[in-house]
Amino acid sequence: MIALGLPPEASTIAPRVDLLLYAVTIVTGGVAIAIFVTMIVFGIRYRAGSKVKRAENVPEAQARARRRVETAWTLIPFALFLASFAWAARLYMVRADAPANSMELFVVAKQWMWKLQHPGGQREIDEMHVPRGQPIKLVMTSQDVIHSFFVPAFRLKQDVLPGRYTEMWFTATKTGRFHLFCAEYCGTDHAHMGGDVIVMEPAEFQRWLNAHAATQSMAARGEDLFRHLGCSGCHGENASVHAPNLAGVYGRPVPLSDGTTVVADERYIRDSILLPRKEVAAGYAPIMPSFTGQIGEDDILDLIAYIKSLASTKERPK
Ligand code: CUA
């Protein structure tokens, strides 16, 4: 592909984004040239005082031909616009839908750094190690203001917002180091908020994971928190309080007290911890205390990882 000074194409979607960019640039450039050439030609040909024929009362046949030309220059650009819309929408859908076999990584943005966590518990700051050829799904949130996770070589950018999770996925196609930027003005050190994505061969990545092995996985840390914060006092096996059993809840529909149903995803679990009155499970009293201000976003991700790890069990956690 033509380079045009663009960053390298290092993800599966990058060449597809570039192709769309080139197509739109060529079409709009072509239309602009056609319009300017016509303007100049007509400007010279029909300038004041030129002897060219200017028919004021055109015969019917000529009027019909003019209407056809007008219809054509209305419909052809319309079709071009619709085609580029359909093309971009298709790409947007591809971008939005992470493959089922994606490896999850968790990103917490804060002024002014990127904190990354692997399910195995490995933590990184301003660096993200990933294997080549493996779909990676990022689950991202912010601890303070709006940031934006931007990797030009992957042609991907996604806003990272406080109070909710946003997702982004990619499959890296080239090994190497690629810049990571914050693309949303987020305060004094916004310009320095960045880092590198390091794409490694799968075997090399596995060695990296082993070399940086954490004492605890995210789920194990979450389990500890579950006890220390007292969650197990109500949700645990020997609880005297009537609280929902969290085993097997992840990914399932949860009937709520207001008659609606939600799927217990990351968002729902997070809100249940911080805003417990918002969506109370049907059949339970709204007695859960809020943990707002008591735990950080990393802790919440650990707790979610723990609850996810209970997805396939039925028994109450201890
Ligand atoms: Cu974070 Cu700009």
Side-chain angles (χ1 to χ4, degrees), residues 72-123:
W73 82 45
T74 309
L75 289 183
I76 292 170
F78 181 63
L80 287 173
F81 279 128
L82 278 188
S84 63
F85 169 75
W87 187 348
R90 165 94 190 97
L91 210 51
Y92 181 84
M93 300 308 262
V94 170
R95 210 204 85 128
D97 227 359
N101 64 339
S102 299
M103 187 182 105
E104 281 190 334
L105 273 179
F106 302 87
V107 179
V108 176
K110 56 178 287 190
Q111 289 167 318
W112 288 274
M113 65 173 81
W114 296 103
K115 291 165 77 181
L116 286 112
Q117 197 165 190
H118 295 252
Q122 291 85 349
R123 288 180 167 175

Short mmCIF file of all heavy atoms in Angstrom, two decimals, residues 72-123:
data_model
loop_
_atom_site.label_atom_id
_atom_site.label_comp_id
_atom_site.label_asym_id
_atom_site.label_seq_id
_atom_site.Cartn_x
_atom_site.Cartn_y
_atom_site.Cartn_z
N ALA A 72 -28.22 13.09 -12.68
CA ALA A 72 -27.01 12.29 -12.54
C ALA A 72 -26.08 12.88 -11.48
O ALA A 72 -25.58 12.18 -10.61
CB ALA A 72 -26.28 12.18 -13.88
N TRP A 73 -25.90 14.23 -11.51
CA TRP A 73 -24.95 14.75 -10.52
C TRP A 73 -25.52 14.84 -9.12
O TRP A 73 -24.84 15.15 -8.17
CB TRP A 73 -24.28 16.04 -11.00
CG TRP A 73 -25.01 17.34 -10.85
CD1 TRP A 73 -25.70 17.80 -9.75
CD2 TRP A 73 -25.09 18.39 -11.81
NE1 TRP A 73 -26.20 19.02 -9.98
CE2 TRP A 73 -25.84 19.43 -11.24
CE3 TRP A 73 -24.59 18.55 -13.11
CZ2 TRP A 73 -26.11 20.61 -11.93
CZ3 TRP A 73 -24.85 19.72 -13.77
CH2 TRP A 73 -25.62 20.73 -13.18
N THR A 74 -26.82 14.57 -9.00
CA THR A 74 -27.39 14.44 -7.67
C THR A 74 -27.26 12.99 -7.18
O THR A 74 -26.85 12.73 -6.05
CB THR A 74 -28.88 14.85 -7.67
OG1 THR A 74 -28.99 16.12 -8.28
CG2 THR A 74 -29.43 14.89 -6.25
N LEU A 75 -27.60 12.06 -8.08
CA LEU A 75 -27.67 10.66 -7.65
C LEU A 75 -26.29 10.01 -7.50
O LEU A 75 -26.08 9.23 -6.58
CB LEU A 75 -28.52 9.85 -8.63
CG LEU A 75 -30.02 10.15 -8.58
CD1 LEU A 75 -30.78 9.25 -9.53
CD2 LEU A 75 -30.56 9.99 -7.15
N ILE A 76 -25.35 10.35 -8.37
CA ILE A 76 -24.04 9.69 -8.30
C ILE A 76 -23.32 10.02 -6.99
O ILE A 76 -22.90 9.12 -6.26
CB ILE A 76 -23.17 9.98 -9.55
CG1 ILE A 76 -23.82 9.31 -10.77
CG2 ILE A 76 -21.74 9.51 -9.38
CD1 ILE A 76 -23.23 9.71 -12.11
N PRO A 77 -23.23 11.31 -6.59
CA PRO A 77 -22.60 11.58 -5.29
C PRO A 77 -23.37 10.95 -4.13
O PRO A 77 -22.78 10.46 -3.17
CB PRO A 77 -22.62 13.10 -5.17
CG PRO A 77 -22.75 13.58 -6.57
CD PRO A 77 -23.55 12.55 -7.29
N PHE A 78 -24.72 10.93 -4.26
CA PHE A 78 -25.52 10.32 -3.20
C PHE A 78 -25.14 8.85 -3.04
O PHE A 78 -24.93 8.36 -1.93
CB PHE A 78 -27.02 10.48 -3.56
CG PHE A 78 -27.94 9.91 -2.53
CD1 PHE A 78 -27.96 10.42 -1.24
CD2 PHE A 78 -28.80 8.86 -2.85
CE1 PHE A 78 -28.82 9.90 -0.29
CE2 PHE A 78 -29.66 8.33 -1.90
CZ PHE A 78 -29.67 8.85 -0.61
N ALA A 79 -25.02 8.15 -4.17
CA ALA A 79 -24.64 6.73 -4.14
C ALA A 79 -23.24 6.57 -3.55
O ALA A 79 -22.98 5.67 -2.75
CB ALA A 79 -24.70 6.14 -5.54
N LEU A 80 -22.33 7.49 -3.90
CA LEU A 80 -20.97 7.42 -3.37
C LEU A 80 -20.96 7.61 -1.85
O LEU A 80 -20.27 6.92 -1.12
CB LEU A 80 -20.07 8.47 -4.04
CG LEU A 80 -19.68 8.20 -5.49
CD1 LEU A 80 -18.94 9.39 -6.07
CD2 LEU A 80 -18.81 6.94 -5.56
N PHE A 81 -21.77 8.58 -1.39
CA PHE A 81 -21.86 8.81 0.06
C PHE A 81 -22.39 7.58 0.78
O PHE A 81 -21.86 7.16 1.79
CB PHE A 81 -22.76 10.01 0.36
CG PHE A 81 -22.07 11.32 0.21
CD1 PHE A 81 -22.62 12.32 -0.58
CD2 PHE A 81 -20.87 11.58 0.84
CE1 PHE A 81 -21.98 13.54 -0.74
CE2 PHE A 81 -20.22 12.79 0.70
CZ PHE A 81 -20.78 13.77 -0.10
N LEU A 82 -23.48 7.00 0.21
CA LEU A 82 -24.07 5.82 0.84
C LEU A 82 -23.08 4.67 0.86
O LEU A 82 -22.97 3.95 1.86
CB LEU A 82 -25.34 5.39 0.10
CG LEU A 82 -26.62 6.15 0.44
CD1 LEU A 82 -27.81 5.48 -0.21
CD2 LEU A 82 -26.83 6.21 1.96
N ALA A 83 -22.33 4.51 -0.22
CA ALA A 83 -21.36 3.41 -0.29
C ALA A 83 -20.28 3.58 0.77
O ALA A 83 -19.93 2.64 1.48
CB ALA A 83 -20.74 3.34 -1.67
N SER A 84 -19.79 4.83 0.93
CA SER A 84 -18.74 5.01 1.94
C SER A 84 -19.32 4.85 3.34
O SER A 84 -18.65 4.35 4.24
CB SER A 84 -18.04 6.36 1.78
OG SER A 84 -18.94 7.41 1.99
N PHE A 85 -20.59 5.22 3.51
CA PHE A 85 -21.23 5.01 4.81
C PHE A 85 -21.31 3.52 5.12
O PHE A 85 -20.96 3.08 6.22
CB PHE A 85 -22.63 5.64 4.83
CG PHE A 85 -23.44 5.24 6.03
CD1 PHE A 85 -23.17 5.78 7.27
CD2 PHE A 85 -24.45 4.29 5.91
CE1 PHE A 85 -23.89 5.39 8.38
CE2 PHE A 85 -25.17 3.89 7.03
CZ PHE A 85 -24.90 4.44 8.26
N ALA A 86 -21.78 2.73 4.14
CA ALA A 86 -21.93 1.29 4.34
C ALA A 86 -20.57 0.64 4.63
O ALA A 86 -20.44 -0.18 5.54
CB ALA A 86 -22.57 0.65 3.12
N TRP A 87 -19.56 1.07 3.88
CA TRP A 87 -18.21 0.54 4.06
C TRP A 87 -17.70 0.83 5.48
O TRP A 87 -17.24 -0.05 6.22
CB TRP A 87 -17.31 1.17 3.00
CG TRP A 87 -15.93 0.61 2.92
CD1 TRP A 87 -15.30 -0.20 3.83
CD2 TRP A 87 -14.98 0.84 1.86
NE1 TRP A 87 -14.04 -0.48 3.41
CE2 TRP A 87 -13.81 0.14 2.21
CE3 TRP A 87 -15.01 1.57 0.68
CZ2 TRP A 87 -12.68 0.16 1.40
CZ3 TRP A 87 -13.87 1.58 -0.12
CH2 TRP A 87 -12.73 0.87 0.24
N ALA A 88 -17.84 2.10 5.91
CA ALA A 88 -17.35 2.50 7.23
C ALA A 88 -18.16 1.82 8.34
O ALA A 88 -17.59 1.41 9.35
CB ALA A 88 -17.42 4.01 7.37
N ALA A 89 -19.47 1.68 8.12
CA ALA A 89 -20.32 1.05 9.14
C ALA A 89 -19.91 -0.42 9.32
O ALA A 89 -19.82 -0.92 10.44
CB ALA A 89 -21.79 1.15 8.74
N ARG A 90 -19.61 -1.07 8.21
CA ARG A 90 -19.18 -2.46 8.25
C ARG A 90 -17.88 -2.59 9.08
O ARG A 90 -17.75 -3.43 9.94
CB ARG A 90 -18.96 -2.94 6.82
CG ARG A 90 -18.18 -4.21 6.66
CD ARG A 90 -19.10 -5.43 6.57
NE ARG A 90 -18.32 -6.67 6.66
CZ ARG A 90 -18.16 -7.36 7.78
NH1 ARG A 90 -18.72 -6.96 8.90
NH2 ARG A 90 -17.46 -8.46 7.79
N LEU A 91 -16.96 -1.68 8.83
CA LEU A 91 -15.70 -1.67 9.54
C LEU A 91 -15.92 -1.39 11.03
O LEU A 91 -15.27 -1.97 11.89
CB LEU A 91 -14.80 -0.60 8.92
CG LEU A 91 -13.30 -0.81 8.95
CD1 LEU A 91 -12.94 -2.17 8.39
CD2 LEU A 91 -12.61 0.28 8.14
N TYR A 92 -16.86 -0.50 11.30
CA TYR A 92 -17.18 -0.16 12.68
C TYR A 92 -17.70 -1.40 13.42
O TYR A 92 -17.35 -1.64 14.57
CB TYR A 92 -18.23 0.96 12.70
CG TYR A 92 -18.60 1.40 14.09
CD1 TYR A 92 -17.82 2.33 14.77
CD2 TYR A 92 -19.70 0.86 14.74
CE1 TYR A 92 -18.14 2.72 16.05
CE2 TYR A 92 -20.03 1.25 16.02
CZ TYR A 92 -19.25 2.18 16.67
OH TYR A 92 -19.57 2.55 17.94
N MET A 93 -18.54 -2.18 12.72
CA MET A 93 -19.09 -3.39 13.34
C MET A 93 -17.96 -4.39 13.63
O MET A 93 -17.94 -4.99 14.70
CB MET A 93 -20.12 -4.07 12.41
CG MET A 93 -21.30 -3.20 12.05
SD MET A 93 -22.08 -2.49 13.48
CE MET A 93 -23.42 -3.60 13.67
N VAL A 94 -17.05 -4.56 12.68
CA VAL A 94 -15.92 -5.47 12.88
C VAL A 94 -15.14 -5.03 14.12
O VAL A 94 -14.78 -5.81 14.98
CB VAL A 94 -15.00 -5.47 11.64
CG1 VAL A 94 -13.70 -6.20 11.92
CG2 VAL A 94 -15.71 -6.08 10.45
N ARG A 95 -14.91 -3.74 14.22
CA ARG A 95 -14.16 -3.14 15.30
C ARG A 95 -14.84 -3.31 16.65
O ARG A 95 -14.22 -3.40 17.69
CB ARG A 95 -14.03 -1.65 14.98
CG ARG A 95 -12.81 -0.98 15.49
CD ARG A 95 -13.11 0.49 15.62
NE ARG A 95 -13.74 0.69 16.91
CZ ARG A 95 -13.33 1.58 17.79
NH1 ARG A 95 -12.35 2.37 17.51
NH2 ARG A 95 -13.91 1.68 18.97
N ALA A 96 -16.19 -3.32 16.63
CA ALA A 96 -16.95 -3.33 17.87
C ALA A 96 -17.08 -4.73 18.47
O ALA A 96 -17.33 -4.89 19.65
CB ALA A 96 -18.34 -2.74 17.64
N ASP A 97 -16.88 -5.75 17.63
CA ASP A 97 -17.22 -7.10 18.04
C ASP A 97 -15.97 -7.93 18.29
O ASP A 97 -15.37 -8.45 17.35
CB ASP A 97 -18.04 -7.73 16.90
CG ASP A 97 -19.26 -8.43 17.44
OD1 ASP A 97 -19.43 -8.43 18.67
OD2 ASP A 97 -20.02 -8.98 16.63
N ALA A 98 -15.58 -8.11 19.54
CA ALA A 98 -14.38 -8.89 19.85
C ALA A 98 -14.65 -10.37 19.60
O ALA A 98 -15.71 -10.87 19.98
CB ALA A 98 -13.98 -8.67 21.30
N PRO A 99 -13.71 -11.09 18.97
CA PRO A 99 -13.89 -12.53 18.76
C PRO A 99 -14.00 -13.26 20.11
O PRO A 99 -13.46 -12.79 21.12
CB PRO A 99 -12.62 -12.96 18.04
CG PRO A 99 -11.98 -11.72 17.55
CD PRO A 99 -12.43 -10.61 18.43
N ALA A 100 -14.70 -14.39 20.10
CA ALA A 100 -14.96 -15.12 21.35
C ALA A 100 -13.67 -15.61 22.01
O ALA A 100 -13.60 -15.74 23.23
CB ALA A 100 -15.90 -16.28 21.08
N ASN A 101 -12.64 -15.87 21.21
CA ASN A 101 -11.40 -16.42 21.78
C ASN A 101 -10.41 -15.32 22.20
O ASN A 101 -9.23 -15.57 22.35
CB ASN A 101 -10.73 -17.36 20.78
CG ASN A 101 -10.29 -16.65 19.51
OD1 ASN A 101 -10.81 -15.58 19.19
ND2 ASN A 101 -9.34 -17.21 18.80
N SER A 102 -10.93 -14.09 22.38
CA SER A 102 -10.04 -12.99 22.75
C SER A 102 -9.44 -13.19 24.13
O SER A 102 -10.10 -13.72 25.03
CB SER A 102 -10.80 -11.67 22.76
OG SER A 102 -11.32 -11.39 21.50
N MET A 103 -8.21 -12.71 24.28
CA MET A 103 -7.57 -12.69 25.59
C MET A 103 -7.88 -11.34 26.22
O MET A 103 -7.73 -10.31 25.57
CB MET A 103 -6.07 -12.84 25.37
CG MET A 103 -5.26 -13.02 26.61
SD MET A 103 -3.51 -13.12 26.13
CE MET A 103 -2.97 -11.51 26.64
N GLU A 104 -8.34 -11.35 27.47
CA GLU A 104 -8.72 -10.07 28.08
C GLU A 104 -7.55 -9.41 28.79
O GLU A 104 -6.72 -10.07 29.40
CB GLU A 104 -9.86 -10.29 29.09
CG GLU A 104 -11.20 -10.44 28.41
CD GLU A 104 -12.35 -10.41 29.40
OE1 GLU A 104 -12.15 -10.76 30.58
OE2 GLU A 104 -13.45 -10.03 28.98
N LEU A 105 -7.52 -8.08 28.68
CA LEU A 105 -6.56 -7.27 29.41
C LEU A 105 -7.34 -6.11 30.01
O LEU A 105 -8.32 -5.66 29.41
CB LEU A 105 -5.50 -6.72 28.47
CG LEU A 105 -4.29 -7.59 28.18
CD1 LEU A 105 -3.37 -6.88 27.22
CD2 LEU A 105 -3.54 -7.88 29.46
N PHE A 106 -6.91 -5.65 31.17
CA PHE A 106 -7.68 -4.63 31.86
C PHE A 106 -6.86 -3.36 31.97
O PHE A 106 -5.70 -3.39 32.34
CB PHE A 106 -8.11 -5.15 33.23
CG PHE A 106 -8.93 -6.40 33.10
CD1 PHE A 106 -8.31 -7.64 33.03
CD2 PHE A 106 -10.29 -6.32 32.95
CE1 PHE A 106 -9.06 -8.80 32.85
CE2 PHE A 106 -11.05 -7.46 32.77
CZ PHE A 106 -10.44 -8.71 32.72
N VAL A 107 -7.50 -2.25 31.62
CA VAL A 107 -6.81 -0.97 31.57
C VAL A 107 -7.50 0.01 32.50
O VAL A 107 -8.72 0.18 32.42
CB VAL A 107 -6.83 -0.41 30.13
CG1 VAL A 107 -6.13 0.94 30.07
CG2 VAL A 107 -6.22 -1.39 29.15
N VAL A 108 -6.72 0.62 33.39
CA VAL A 108 -7.24 1.70 34.21
C VAL A 108 -6.43 2.95 33.88
O VAL A 108 -5.21 2.97 34.04
CB VAL A 108 -7.15 1.39 35.72
CG1 VAL A 108 -7.61 2.58 36.55
CG2 VAL A 108 -7.98 0.16 36.07
N ALA A 109 -7.12 3.99 33.41
CA ALA A 109 -6.44 5.24 33.10
C ALA A 109 -6.56 6.16 34.30
O ALA A 109 -7.57 6.17 34.98
CB ALA A 109 -7.09 5.90 31.89
N LYS A 110 -5.48 6.89 34.57
CA LYS A 110 -5.56 7.92 35.60
C LYS A 110 -4.58 9.02 35.24
O LYS A 110 -3.65 8.81 34.47
CB LYS A 110 -5.30 7.34 36.99
CG LYS A 110 -3.97 6.61 37.13
CD LYS A 110 -3.76 6.12 38.52
CE LYS A 110 -3.45 7.28 39.45
NZ LYS A 110 -3.02 6.81 40.78
N GLN A 111 -4.80 10.20 35.80
CA GLN A 111 -3.90 11.32 35.51
C GLN A 111 -2.53 11.02 36.13
O GLN A 111 -2.42 10.99 37.35
CB GLN A 111 -4.47 12.61 36.11
CG GLN A 111 -5.70 13.11 35.36
CD GLN A 111 -6.43 14.19 36.12
OE1 GLN A 111 -6.59 14.09 37.33
NE2 GLN A 111 -6.91 15.19 35.43
N TRP A 112 -1.47 10.73 35.37
CA TRP A 112 -1.44 10.67 33.94
C TRP A 112 -0.68 9.41 33.56
O TRP A 112 0.48 9.46 33.20
CB TRP A 112 -0.77 11.91 33.36
CG TRP A 112 -1.65 13.13 33.51
CD1 TRP A 112 -2.63 13.51 32.63
CD2 TRP A 112 -1.65 14.10 34.54
NE1 TRP A 112 -3.25 14.67 33.07
CE2 TRP A 112 -2.66 15.05 34.24
CE3 TRP A 112 -0.93 14.26 35.73
CZ2 TRP A 112 -2.96 16.14 35.06
CZ3 TRP A 112 -1.22 15.34 36.54
CH2 TRP A 112 -2.23 16.27 36.20
N MET A 113 -1.33 8.31 33.67
CA MET A 113 -0.68 7.03 33.34
C MET A 113 -1.70 5.99 32.92
O MET A 113 -2.90 6.14 33.16
CB MET A 113 0.12 6.53 34.54
CG MET A 113 -0.74 6.18 35.73
SD MET A 113 0.19 5.40 37.04
CE MET A 113 0.92 6.82 37.82
N TRP A 114 -1.18 4.96 32.27
CA TRP A 114 -2.00 3.81 31.89
C TRP A 114 -1.59 2.64 32.77
O TRP A 114 -0.43 2.24 32.76
CB TRP A 114 -1.77 3.44 30.43
CG TRP A 114 -2.21 4.50 29.46
CD1 TRP A 114 -1.40 5.36 28.79
CD2 TRP A 114 -3.54 4.81 29.08
NE1 TRP A 114 -2.17 6.19 28.00
CE2 TRP A 114 -3.49 5.87 28.15
CE3 TRP A 114 -4.80 4.29 29.41
CZ2 TRP A 114 -4.62 6.43 27.56
CZ3 TRP A 114 -5.93 4.84 28.82
CH2 TRP A 114 -5.83 5.90 27.91
N LYS A 115 -2.53 2.12 33.54
CA LYS A 115 -2.23 0.95 34.37
C LYS A 115 -2.87 -0.26 33.71
O LYS A 115 -4.08 -0.25 33.43
CB LYS A 115 -2.77 1.16 35.78
CG LYS A 115 -2.01 2.25 36.53
CD LYS A 115 -2.75 2.70 37.77
CE LYS A 115 -2.63 1.71 38.91
NZ LYS A 115 -3.41 2.20 40.08
N LEU A 116 -2.05 -1.27 33.49
CA LEU A 116 -2.56 -2.47 32.81
C LEU A 116 -2.46 -3.68 33.69
O LEU A 116 -1.51 -3.82 34.47
CB LEU A 116 -1.76 -2.71 31.53
CG LEU A 116 -2.15 -1.70 30.47
CD1 LEU A 116 -1.05 -0.76 30.18
CD2 LEU A 116 -2.62 -2.44 29.25
N GLN A 117 -3.43 -4.55 33.56
CA GLN A 117 -3.41 -5.74 34.36
C GLN A 117 -3.77 -6.96 33.50
O GLN A 117 -4.73 -6.93 32.74
CB GLN A 117 -4.39 -5.58 35.51
CG GLN A 117 -4.13 -6.58 36.58
CD GLN A 117 -4.81 -6.25 37.91
OE1 GLN A 117 -4.51 -6.91 38.86
NE2 GLN A 117 -5.72 -5.30 37.98
N HIS A 118 -2.97 -8.03 33.66
CA HIS A 118 -3.25 -9.28 32.96
C HIS A 118 -4.06 -10.17 33.90
O HIS A 118 -3.92 -10.06 35.12
CB HIS A 118 -1.94 -9.98 32.59
CG HIS A 118 -1.11 -9.21 31.60
ND1 HIS A 118 -0.97 -9.60 30.29
CD2 HIS A 118 -0.41 -8.05 31.72
CE1 HIS A 118 -0.20 -8.72 29.66
NE2 HIS A 118 0.15 -7.78 30.50
N PRO A 119 -4.89 -11.06 33.34
CA PRO A 119 -5.71 -11.92 34.21
C PRO A 119 -4.85 -12.70 35.20
O PRO A 119 -5.28 -12.96 36.33
CB PRO A 119 -6.40 -12.87 33.23
CG PRO A 119 -6.38 -12.17 31.91
CD PRO A 119 -5.14 -11.32 31.91
N GLY A 120 -3.62 -13.04 34.81
CA GLY A 120 -2.74 -13.78 35.71
C GLY A 120 -2.19 -12.93 36.85
O GLY A 120 -1.48 -13.42 37.70
N GLY A 121 -2.50 -11.63 36.84
CA GLY A 121 -2.08 -10.76 37.93
C GLY A 121 -0.90 -9.87 37.57
O GLY A 121 -0.55 -8.98 38.32
N GLN A 122 -0.25 -10.11 36.41
CA GLN A 122 0.88 -9.27 35.98
C GLN A 122 0.38 -7.84 35.79
O GLN A 122 -0.66 -7.63 35.17
CB GLN A 122 1.48 -9.78 34.67
CG GLN A 122 2.20 -11.10 34.75
CD GLN A 122 1.25 -12.29 34.61
OE1 GLN A 122 0.04 -12.16 34.65
NE2 GLN A 122 1.82 -13.47 34.46
N ARG A 123 1.13 -6.89 36.35
CA ARG A 123 0.73 -5.49 36.21
C ARG A 123 1.79 -4.71 35.47
O ARG A 123 2.98 -4.99 35.60
CB ARG A 123 0.54 -4.88 37.60
CG ARG A 123 -0.70 -5.40 38.28
CD ARG A 123 -0.89 -4.77 39.64
NE ARG A 123 -2.24 -5.07 40.11
CZ ARG A 123 -2.70 -4.75 41.29
NH1 ARG A 123 -1.93 -4.09 42.14
NH2 ARG A 123 -3.93 -5.04 41.65
#
